[in-house]
Amino acid sequence: MYTGLLHLHSILRYVVLILVLLSILQAITAGNKPYTPANKKVNLFALISCHLQLVIGLVLYFMSPNVDFSKMSEPTYRYWNVEHISMMILSIALITVGYSKSKKAIEAKAKHKAIYVFYTLGIVIVLLAIFTMKDRNPWWNM
Ligand code: HEM
């Protein structure tokens, strides 16, 4: 169960990255164009993929042998104990705020702006969290 969830969580990162980047791209290039149902769908699927990642991450957090508070002095354990979870929850919160602001905004321009501002902040933190993974940094461990 742990291995299966870890694989799922690992693969889902690419879904999150692609959908969030797609949302940002369509919001940045929208200019004065309307906020279409297709725009909304991509933004919503990006949000759902993040929330799915949150749920799987929470389950993993209580199963993982790499989450161990008795080894806080070791960088790898500290990463999985506190750094990964805090950075990822912050990024998912930002993306959630962005989606809800875009929903509340009246004008199309304001809807697109809420998406590119908050989704960009969120994705930057996700990428930082991925590239600072202590034991499996994708820069040298892909
Ligand atoms: C957008 C959000 C997230 C992304 C992109 C993400 C990405 C990743 C990646 C790439 C891994 C490594 C998978 C592997 O070793 O193959 C991982 C592992 C893990 N993540 Fe996340 N994660 C996210 C959110 C979260 C959240 C919110 C939590 C906790 C509540 C969490 C908890 C964990 C745990 C416990 C592990 C496994 C550590 C281990 O046992 O090796 N993740 N995550």
Side-chain angles (χ1 to χ4, degrees):
M1 165 113 170
Y2 163 70
T3 316
L5 280 180
L6 186 59
H7 277 127
L8 187 62
H9 191 71
S10 181
I11 291 163
L12 203 61
R13 105 183 81 169
Y14 299 108
V15 177
V16 169
L17 290 174
I18 290 167
L19 287 174
V20 174
L21 286 174
L22 211 62
S23 301
I24 295 168
L25 200 72
Q26 64 176 15
I28 283 179
T29 55
N32 288 321
K33 283 190 228 149
Y35 185 78
T36 65
N39 291 150
K40 189 177 174 183
K41 203 173 270 177
V42 174
N43 300 337
L44 178 63
F45 283 154
L47 177 75
I48 292 171
S49 69
C50 289
H51 285 187
L52 205 58
Q53 199 63 327
L54 172 67
V55 173
I56 301 169
L58 276 174
V59 178
L60 277 174
Y61 195 72
F62 292 100
M63 298 177 95
S64 171
N66 295 316
V67 175
D68 184 342
F69 283 87
S70 67
K71 295 178 180 150
M72 273 297 264
S73 55
E74 291 175 38
T76 298
Y77 287 95
R78 203 166 50 240
Y79 175 82
W80 294 111
N81 287 349
V82 290
E83 292 166 18
H84 187 79
I85 184 170
S86 357
M87 283 193 276
M88 292 311 193
I89 287 180
L90 177 61
S91 66
I92 296 169
L94 285 165
I95 287 169
T96 309
V97 168
Y99 185 81
S100 116
K101 278 191 181 290
S102 84
K103 213 171 157 185
K104 282 189 202 130
I106 310 288
E107 289 174 14
K109 209 171 172 140
K111 286 180 179 287
H112 288 301
K113 189 177 173 192
I115 295 295
Y116 72 67
V117 169
F118 285 92
Y119 279 37
T120 303
L121 287 172
I123 203 72
V124 167
I125 298 172
V126 167
L127 288 171
L128 265 176
I130 291 178
F131 288 117
T132 54
M133 277 178 185
K134 295 290 181 285
D135 50 343
R136 55 200 96 157
N137 189 314
W139 283 119
W140 55 81
N141 198 15
M142 231 2 208

